[in-house]
Structures are given as C-alpha cells and as structure tokens.
Amino acid sequence: MARIKIILPVIVCLLAAFYSQSVHCRSNEAPEDNDFAEFDDFDSDDEFETISEHSVKSEKQSNVGGANERNDNFQDAYDENDEDDGVVEEESEFEHFRDDEEFEGFNKNDQAVPVETGEPKLTMAKVPLHFRTHWDSYWMEILMLAGLAAYFTNYFIGKNKNTKLANLWLSTHKSLLEDNFLLIGDDGKVENENPGFVKESESLYTLWCSGRTCCEGMLVELKMIKRQDLVAILSEIVRPSTDQLHFKVEISKESMDPFVFCVASRRTATKLFKETADLSKYCILVNKPEDKYKVPSGFSVLSELPEATSAMLDSRIVLALAKFANLIDYIHISDQYAGAIQQDDPATLKQPEVKRMLMAGFNLPKNADMESVKPLLVLVFYMLERLKRFRLSKEGKQKADKNRLRVEEEFLKSTHHQRAEAAAVRREEKRKLEKEKIMSEDDPEKQRRWEKKEQKRQLKKKAPKMKQLSIKAL
C-alpha cells in the first residue's frame, strides 16, 4: 500500500505532462482540411474567455470612468434578483435590457447605464409659439381689409355725388317749377321746413309739386345709378345704364278725354307693352310710325285711337323727339292707368282703381349738364296744356267707350266663377242667419212653415231644368 501511494502521484504528474505536450503539438501543426474546423474554436472555454477579455478591455478604454460605479450597482441588483429564486415578480417591458446574452461583448463589469424597472417618464419640452413676422403671411387679411376700405370709400363718394346731382337739378329747374306750381317739395302730409328733394334712398330722390290747374299734382323722381354700391358699379361695366328723371302728373277728370297713348324707344316700348295693364289691354303697336306720324326711326308708337295719337304727335312734339332722341325714353298718356299687370287673384272681384296720368321718362346726360335737359320739363308742361285743350270727336268717344266696355266684359267673364262662388257663400250665410232667428223664437207654427218652404226650395233645386219653347201662330 505504501508503494501504491508513492506511485499514484508520479502517474498523475506524468499524465499531466503528457496531456500538456500533446496540446502544444496540436497547436503547432498545420490546419487540416476539416469542414467543421471553424467550430473547434468554441470547444475551448479558455480561448473564448481570452477573446471576450480583450474586447472588454478595448471598450473600457473608450468609456468614461464614472460609469463603472453605475454598472456595479446595476450588476449587484441583478445578482440579488438571481439569488432570490423563490420570489415571483411582474415582468417589465424593459426586461430584455437585463439579459446578458442580448448584446455581444457585454460584461457585467463593463460600464453601463442603469435601467429603471418602471415605465420611463416622458417630459415635454416647452417650445414657445412661433409668431409670424412677415407681412406675406397675412395676405388674406390684407385683401379683406382692402376690400372693405374700397367699399366704404366708394359708398361715401357715390352718395355725395348723387346728392350733388340732385341738388344741381333742383337749383337749375326751381324757377321753372315755381312758375307752374304753387307749392314745391311739400306734399301736405309732413311738415317740411326746407322744401326740396326727399331722399328715399342713396340713389332715389323724390319731389312733390302741387297747386296748378288741370292736374292734382306732379311727382318728380330722380333715379340715379347706385354709385354708393361697389357691386353695382362693377356691373355697370357689363350692363351700362344712365341716370333717369321720371315725371308722374295726375290729371283731373274733366281735363282729359278717354284715350291711351304712348311713344317710347323701341326697347322701352316693348317692355311697357308687356308689363303695363292699360297699354296691353287698349293699345296696339303701330306699324311704320315713321311714315304715319313722322316720328324718328328709333321710336315706337302704341295707340288706342288714331285721332288722339295724331293730336298728341304734333309738329312741336315730333321736333322735340328728333332733337332729344338720346334723352327721351318714353311719354305715356292714359285715362286707365292701373300700374303693372297683376297676377290672377281669386279674391279680386273688382277691377283695379284707375287714374288719368301723364308720365314721362328722360335720360340725364353723363356730363351733368342740367341746362341741356331744361327743355324736357318745358315739354311736359306743353303736353299738359295740349291735353287740356284736346277733345275727341263723337266717333272717337264712342269707340273709346266701346273699348272700355269690352275690357269690363272680359274681366267679368274671367271672374264669373269666382263671383258665383262668392254669391253662393253670401246666400248660404243669409239663410243660416234666418234659420237661427226662426229657431230661436217660440213659435212652432212659424218654424214648420219655414221648414216646409226650405224643403220646396231643395226639391226645386234638385229638379231637372226644362227649356220652354215658344211657337208662333200661323
């Protein structure tokens, strides 16, 4: 036994020396052609440790020295968690940061940033609002302000211009109006300390004149372009228009014979014939008025009685039409003037109220020369005197009366059904009141007679109607 104890250590030493010598010989030999030779490196743990230690040392040289302490703390916490195998903890979504095998070349002793176990805290940076400092960023606002400024500037300029034109016309014609009327600018309804034009709107001015024979009064309307409206000014580029002056003279009943007449520019005559009730019912469009009445070629004539038309279109009026052809729009004389054509209304069972009127419309010149339009007002007064002196012949009056009777019959025919229904309603209401009166009395005999009378009326109403034929004796 003592010999064996001495031999065993010797054998162990010899085996160790033999093993070390064989390893050294294999490392010096040339590499053999082996497909799995690249995996032989992983058989030795010593070589893997040598490579890892070398890579760790190179990483340590590039890291900051202060990170060693944080890595040690992190490693200690990790070791404690490994030792505590009996405690079950909730897995965090950042658990993979603790796995050593997740990263190459990772060592516990290396410098690392500690990872919190909970969710990271997000902090939002306080960024100041960006204020635009360039004017081109506000082009929309600048356009809107410029549009508003242009609109209001045009409003005040246009309003003042219309007011100046109205005052200029009145100052030019005031002496002529005072010679023909007693009151100027006073309609007798409202106290007016400063008689003159009444501004109905920024583009419409009215003037009432009264106190003259053969007429109840005259209304002067000055309808101007809507210069205060920027949209209307822009529309003038497409559809140009002019300032207009309208006269409406209400003539006394005894100062005018019954007839309807109108002379106007072709475009205006067509419009008046379609829209005015008296012209559409009583007048016809005269063919070739240049040959019949010597009017200028740009005018049309609407006439009811040729006798009255010839009297109105005398030489003086024809000369005025030729001289002021660009200013005269229409001259309308009627004893049946009722305004525009009204739509059929079942509730209307009476003809509209009519008036004897002399109406004239003139265009004002664009250069605002009011002296040049002064003869037009003289023309209106001349036609008033002409109407006062003119009288129809007997045949003319008969024809005028026949025309008015025809229009009345047409109206009665068109409203016959409505009038019959209205009459039936009135009779029914009357019968209902009579029945209530009889039933309220305490007289059975009177009530019985009324019921018997009502039954006979109902039977007569339901009975078929028979025509009675009369035969003459031979």
Side-chain angles (χ1 to χ4, degrees):
M1 292 295 294
R3 189 177 294 179
I4 295 172
K5 290 180 181 179
I6 296 170
I7 295 171
L8 281 174
V10 175
I11 295 171
V12 170
C13 292
L14 291 174
L15 291 174
F18 181 79
Y19 178 76
S20 61
Q21 187 176 0
S22 62
V23 170
H24 180 70
C25 293
R26 278 186 294 177
S27 62
N28 293 332
E29 290 179 357
E32 298 178 359
D33 295 334
N34 189 3
D35 294 337
F36 300 95
E38 58 182 353
F39 298 102
D40 293 339
D41 295 338
F42 295 98
D43 295 336
S44 177
D45 296 332
D46 298 334
E47 293 180 2
F48 178 77
E49 291 178 359
T50 304
I51 294 172
S52 63
E53 288 178 0
H54 178 72
S55 61
V56 168
K57 287 180 181 181
S58 62
E59 291 181 359
K60 284 183 179 180
Q61 293 177 359
S62 62
N63 292 334
V64 182
N68 292 328
E69 184 178 354
R70 293 194 299 270
N71 189 30
D72 294 337
N73 295 333
F74 172 77
Q75 190 64 34
D76 294 338
Y78 184 77
D79 294 337
E80 290 178 359
N81 292 332
D82 289 341
E83 293 175 359
D84 194 3
D85 296 330
V87 179
V88 180
E89 297 181 356
E90 290 186 2
E91 293 184 359
S92 174
E93 60 181 349
F94 303 99
E95 192 68 27
H96 58 277
F97 287 108
R98 301 178 181 179
D99 192 359
D100 297 343
E101 298 179 356
E102 190 71 20
F103 307 97
E104 290 187 9
F106 178 77
N107 193 1
K108 297 181 180 180
N109 297 326
D110 292 344
Q111 298 174 359
V113 179
V115 179
E116 297 180 0
T117 57
E119 295 181 358
K121 295 182 180 180
L122 300 178
T123 56
M124 302 297 293
K126 295 182 179 179
V127 181
L129 297 176
H130 176 67
F131 294 98
R132 297 178 179 177
T133 58
H134 301 287
W135 285 107
D136 55 356
S137 302
Y138 301 94
W139 62 271
M140 182 63 72
E141 291 79 358
I142 292 173
L143 287 178
M144 292 178 64
L145 292 175
L148 290 174
Y151 183 86
F152 285 108
T153 302
N154 178 79
Y155 175 81
F156 289 109
I157 294 175
K159 180 183 71 172
N160 294 333
K161 187 174 182 180
N162 286 343
T163 304
K164 289 180 181 179
L165 289 175
N167 294 332
L168 179 61
W169 186 92
L170 182 60
S171 61
T172 305
H173 297 79
K174 190 171 184 181
S175 59
L176 185 59
L177 291 172
E178 289 176 349
D179 294 339
N180 290 271
F181 293 96
L182 184 62
L183 296 176
I184 307 298
D186 188 3
D187 56 359
K189 298 179 182 179
V190 182
E191 294 293 334
N192 194 356
E193 297 179 358
N194 299 317
F197 272 114
V198 177
K199 185 170 70 172
E200 303 291 342
S201 66
E202 300 298 341
S203 59
L204 177 62
Y205 293 81
T206 59
L207 178 70
W208 177 258
C209 305
S210 60
R212 178 189 170 92
T213 58
C214 79
C215 71
E216 302 294 334
M218 182 177 72
L219 179 64
V220 181
E221 290 183 349
L222 194 56
K223 294 182 179 180
M224 298 184 178
I225 300 172
K226 295 181 179 180
R227 295 182 175 88
Q228 79 283 356
D229 190 356
L230 185 60
V231 178
I233 292 297
L234 295 177
S235 65
E236 289 292 325
I237 301 174
V238 181
R239 298 181 62 182
S241 60
T242 58
D243 299 323
Q244 287 191 335
L245 182 66
H246 297 270
F247 295 96
K248 295 181 179 180
V249 185
E250 187 175 352
I251 305 174
S252 303
K253 184 176 181 180
E254 64 277 359
S255 301
M256 177 183 172
D257 280 354
F259 70 93
V260 181
F261 159 79
C262 179
V263 57
S265 60
R266 291 181 178 177
R267 183 177 180 180
T268 305
T270 304
K271 182 179 179 181
L272 291 175
F273 185 74
K274 292 180 179 179
E275 297 179 357
T276 310
D278 56 339
L279 293 177
S280 61
K281 292 178 181 178
Y282 295 96
C283 293
I284 60 172
L285 183 63
V286 179
N287 293 325
K288 297 181 180 181
E290 301 88 354
D291 300 335
K292 292 183 179 180
Y293 302 107
K294 307 300 180 183
V295 298
S297 59
F299 289 92
S300 298
V301 177
L302 299 171
S303 174
E304 179 191 5
L305 302 174
E307 178 185 351
T309 304
S310 300
M312 290 296 103
L313 293 176
D314 60 356
S315 60
R316 188 171 180 179
I317 295 177
V318 171
L319 181 61
L321 290 175
K323 186 176 181 180
F324 301 100
N326 60 330
L327 299 179
I328 297 177
D329 190 25
Y330 68 91
I331 297 174
H332 181 192
I333 302 172
S334 175
D335 71 314
Q336 298 291 316
Y337 181 74
I341 298 177
Q342 298 179 357
Q343 300 295 332
D344 295 336
D345 189 1
T348 304
L349 300 177
K350 293 182 180 180
Q351 286 186 338
E353 184 180 356
V354 296
K355 297 179 181 179
R356 285 173 164 81
M357 297 291 293
L358 165 63
M359 292 165 289
F362 307 112
N363 299 321
L364 294 178
K366 293 184 179 180
N367 57 1
D369 185 10
M370 298 303 174
E371 288 291 340
S372 61
V373 297
K374 200 171 183 179
L376 299 177
L377 183 58
V378 177
L379 179 63
V380 173
F381 293 143
Y382 172 78
M383 298 198 73
L384 277 175
E385 295 296 331
R386 184 82 176 158
L387 284 173
K388 184 180 178 181
R389 296 191 303 267
F390 173 71
R391 290 293 177 268
L392 287 171
S393 62
K394 185 177 180 180
E395 293 80 6
K397 287 183 178 180
Q398 291 178 353
K399 189 175 181 180
D401 294 339
K402 185 178 179 180
N403 290 336
R404 279 140 188 80
L405 182 61
R406 172 182 58 81
V407 171
E408 185 177 359
E409 289 177 353
E410 290 177 355
F411 177 79
L412 294 176
K413 287 181 180 179
S414 62
T415 59
H416 174 72
H417 184 67
Q418 290 83 359
R419 289 185 292 105
E421 289 182 352
V425 171
R426 289 194 299 269
R427 289 193 299 269
E428 190 65 27
E429 290 291 335
K430 184 178 179 180
R431 194 173 296 108
K432 185 177 180 181
L433 293 175
E434 184 180 357
K435 181 179 180 180
E436 291 178 355
K437 184 178 179 181
I438 295 296
M439 294 301 176
S440 62
E441 296 179 1
D442 295 335
D443 191 353
E445 184 62 25
K446 193 173 182 179
Q447 295 176 1
R448 187 183 62 79
R449 287 197 304 269
W450 185 88
E451 289 179 354
K452 186 176 181 180
K453 181 181 177 182
E454 184 67 18
Q455 289 177 359
K456 289 182 179 180
R457 189 187 67 81
Q458 293 292 340
L459 292 174
K460 185 177 180 181
K461 185 178 180 180
K462 293 179 181 180
K465 294 182 180 180
M466 302 292 293
K467 289 185 179 181
Q468 184 176 1
L469 300 176
S470 59
I471 300 174
K472 295 182 179 180
L474 297 176

